[in-house]
Amino acid sequence: MSEYQAVKGTRDIFPEEVAQWRYVEEIVHTLSTLCGFSEIRTPVFEYTELFQRGIGPTTDIVGKEMFSFLPDPKGRSVTLRPEMTAGVMRAALQKKLFSLAPLHKLYYIGELFRKERPQAGRQRQFSQFGAELLGVSSPAAVAEVITLMMQVFESLGLTGLKLRINTLGDTEDRLRYREALQLYFSPFQEILDDASKERLEKNPLRILDSKNPAVQELVAGAPRLYDYLKASSLQDFEKVLFYLAEREIAYVIDHRLVRGLDYYSHTAFEVSSAELGAQDAIGGGGRYDGLARELGSSADVPASGFAVGMERLLITMEKQGLFAALHPHGPHVYVVVQQQELADHALQITWQLRKAGIKSEMDLAGRSMKAQMRDANRIRASYVLFVGTMEYSTGLYSLKNLATSRQTTLSLEALLQFLQEVAVKEQPAL
RNA sequence: GUGAUUGUAGCUCAGUUGGUUAGAGCGCCAGGUUGUGGCCCUGGAGGCCGGGGGUUCGAGUCCCCUCAUUCACCCCA
């Protein structure tokens, strides 16, 4: 074991796996663009207050999971971003995007940081892709982001995902419901665990998704938010469901789905994967009409969005065998040199091939021909080009197809022409 | 933050009631074939047995501490 290892909760992604990431990222870029979203990249750290205000001081993320530090003794505290939405909204407000146009559709792929104990599907540094639709508040807008998210899953070939959806109503609805909940739970102090008691004061909605069996029994008899929704809120939700049904997106309504972040209102949703173990949420999101005001905006900027955990997505895809067809190919040509005196000549040819756009490789360690051949085989080269005294003197080179073991002798010009032709045929873009 | 789990070669793992120089398979390197790979055969390299302390004539094996891993809780992607 080496002296240094990756920091707890972080990991390295080696080339083979990077190919999987690129494949997924490609689809995210393509589909997001197709749906009219443009990419935004924001800093990995922000002033700590942004998250405190944006995510909410009662949340676990802000309460105990942030990596915060002081860049200089007199400086303001900054925090490695634990989620994306607050930063994106901040950027949009700072740039005064809404004075240019009322509506903005942004998407992102980026790294996040949360100080939690690592476990299956959970790291301290992880990645999410997501989209934010800023400036409109409507069922169509929520349906738009959900559809994009599900579209990505579908394009990747994922199956068996479960989309749960709920409505949290608007601020008024929730305020009335909140009181009802407090009234209902208050008599059961001895049944409630410590966390639930605290939530009873600060955010009683969160008691609903408690996993404590005793608490769950209570929750079963609790009043339903549904009954406290005003007609317009109910209509709003039903319209969202209508859009989903129309697009043949399967969902289940889950009245206990609350989600941990304070800024949600109306629709909230979550997608889980059976492949994931305890941390089975692969993506989630909702509508957050109040966030902009919370961040100091003088005007309302209603919004909705989603975020998908890249690592969890990749794990699920791996489990479902969706990377099987993804085999990164090696160089097109491996230049094998017979004698070390000819190594420079071989190098020169290798570079000629590369200049002609032919992916080429050569042994730089001065190993035996056998070793070079084995290497060519291992890195899955298509052809081997032999450079020996014979080739050097005649200018005619032997090219061997490793798959068929057939070998031909060609001049350098003919070689380049041939390889360029087969290269376009055999190496389609990723 | 809490609980449990596992640390022996690059990887997957053996290692008997504590007993000499710690093993296998795969991988890696070399040779068999001094101009030809995958298969096969032969050989080789590679281990502070996670780290520290203790018990013992003797510790990979037993005890304590520590670090790390993994899984779960909490919560979330």
Side-chain angles (χ1 to χ4, degrees):
Chain A
M1 203 171 295
S2 61
E3 188 176 358
Y4 291 106
Q5 47 187 303
V7 172
K8 185 201 287 289
T10 68
R11 62 189 295 265
D12 305 301
I13 302 171
F14 285 94
E16 211 172 307
E17 213 181 325
V18 169
Q20 303 179 349
W21 279 76
R22 286 212 189 189
Y23 167 69
V24 172
E25 286 163 2
E26 194 61 37
I27 285 187
V28 169
H29 289 302
T30 307
L31 253 34
S32 299
T33 307
L34 179 76
C35 293
F37 288 81
S38 306
E39 186 179 1
I40 185 171
R41 303 186 185 191
T42 64
V44 291
F45 53 69
E46 300 271 0
Y47 288 119
T48 302
E49 306 99 85
L50 176 74
F51 300 119
Q52 290 169 337
R53 294 298 300 276
I55 306 173
T58 64
T59 60
D60 283 356
I61 293 177
V62 170
K64 57 182 187 187
E65 294 171 4
M66 296 203 299
F67 282 105
S68 300
F69 58 98
L70 290 166
D72 64 83
K74 289 182 184 169
R76 273 202 277 168
S77 171
V78 301
T79 293
L80 262 27
R81 62 187 181 196
E83 58 99 57
M84 281 287 198
T85 303
V88 170
M89 183 61 93
R90 191 228 83 228
L93 293 172
Q94 181 179 342
K95 182 86 173 176
K96 303 203 189 316
L97 282 189
F98 304 104
S99 64
L100 297 172
L103 171 61
H104 291 274
K105 296 166 73 173
L106 302 168
Y107 80 96
Y108 57 79
I109 301 177
E111 291 72 48
L112 306 178
F113 307 84
R114 262 128 82 162
K115 199 162 59 192
E116 303 179 273
R117 267 294 179 84
Q119 74 184 77
R122 169 184 287 165
Q123 300 164 209
R124 289 182 159 190
Q125 179 183 333
F126 60 103
S127 302
Q128 288 184 345
F129 81 86
E132 315 283 4
L133 204 164
L134 310 176
V136 268
S137 188
S138 70
V142 186
E144 178 116 336
V145 297
I146 296 177
T147 305
L148 170 58
M149 178 180 71
M150 297 307 284
Q151 192 75 51
V152 171
F153 294 147
E154 197 189 318
S155 293
L156 292 171
L158 256 5
T159 53
L161 298 182
K162 188 171 159 193
L163 170 65
R164 291 176 302 128
I165 190 164
N166 190 24
T167 179
L168 306 174
D170 64 14
T171 319
E172 275 178 41
D173 297 335
R174 258 200 324 284
L175 215 60
R176 280 188 294 145
Y177 180 52
R178 206 187 136 107
E179 282 167 18
L181 279 183
Q182 281 171 332
L183 210 64
Y184 171 79
F185 282 116
S186 294
F188 300 111
Q189 290 293 336
E190 60 275 18
I191 299 178
L192 296 173
D193 50 71
D194 289 347
S196 297
K197 278 180 201 166
E198 200 179 323
R199 285 175 191 158
L200 187 56
E201 296 303 314
K202 292 177 178 166
N203 193 349
L205 285 267
R206 303 260 322 274
I207 300 177
L208 298 183
D209 64 0
S210 167
K211 283 183 191 165
N212 183 329
V215 176
Q216 268 308 317
E217 274 183 48
L218 278 183
V219 169
R224 285 189 164 195
L225 174 56
Y226 239 52
D227 303 322
Y228 291 79
L229 293 177
K230 61 171 73 77
S232 61
S233 297
L234 203 57
Q235 278 167 11
D236 185 285
F237 188 50
E238 278 166 357
K239 196 71 196 280
V240 174
L241 300 181
F242 164 77
Y243 284 126
L244 294 183
E246 201 178 41
R247 293 167 204 182
E248 294 182 325
I249 294 171
Y251 62 83
V252 289
I253 296 173
D254 181 353
H255 293 292
R256 286 174 308 197
L257 177 67
V258 174
R259 301 192 56 78
L261 283 52
D262 282 358
Y263 53 58
Y264 288 110
S265 56
H266 288 293
T267 309
F269 55 90
E270 191 169 303
V271 177
S272 53
S273 157
E275 247 78 48
L276 282 178
Q279 310 307 320
D280 65 350
I282 193 170
R287 196 163 135 187
Y288 39 94
D289 294 349
L291 176 61
R293 288 262 188 206
E294 200 61 50
L295 298 184
S297 171
S298 53
D300 274 330
V301 181
S304 38
F306 72 85
V308 168
M310 291 289 282
E311 286 79 1
R312 292 182 185 181
L313 180 63
L314 280 267
I315 291 169
T316 304
M317 287 183 67
E318 180 71 52
K319 289 249 174 90
Q320 294 190 355
L322 298 175
F323 293 125
L326 197 70
H327 38 73
H329 26 61
H332 208 58
V333 177
Y334 192 106
V335 178
V336 167
V337 61
Q338 183 200 349
Q339 292 127 320
Q340 278 315 298
E341 301 83 73
L342 292 170
D344 285 349
H345 179 60
L347 259 180
Q348 201 189 336
I349 287 173
T350 305
W351 275 102
Q352 248 176 293
L353 291 171
R354 290 175 181 167
K355 273 188 189 164
I358 299 157
K359 194 169 158 196
S360 315
E361 193 50 276
M362 184 189 153
D363 173 57
L364 297 174
R367 294 139 86 202
S368 69
M369 274 191 80
K370 183 187 179 119
Q372 294 177 63
M373 288 299 290
R374 215 173 341 152
D375 206 32
N377 216 58
R378 176 172 36 222
I379 65 179
R380 302 208 258 198
S382 307
Y383 294 90
V384 159
L385 179 66
F386 292 100
V387 174
T389 45
M390 196 180 77
E391 285 80 0
Y392 186 64
S393 55
T394 63
L396 295 174
Y397 295 85
S398 304
L399 184 73
K400 181 173 189 171
N401 182 321
L402 283 180
T404 64
S405 291
R406 261 202 292 261
Q407 196 164 321
T408 47
T409 304
L410 298 161
S411 71
L412 204 53
E413 296 79 61
L415 202 71
L416 285 174
Q417 201 189 345
F418 170 74
L419 287 172
Q420 279 176 321
E421 275 169 26
V422 294
V424 288
K425 265 189 286 181
E426 293 177 16
Q427 294 212 118
L430 180 80

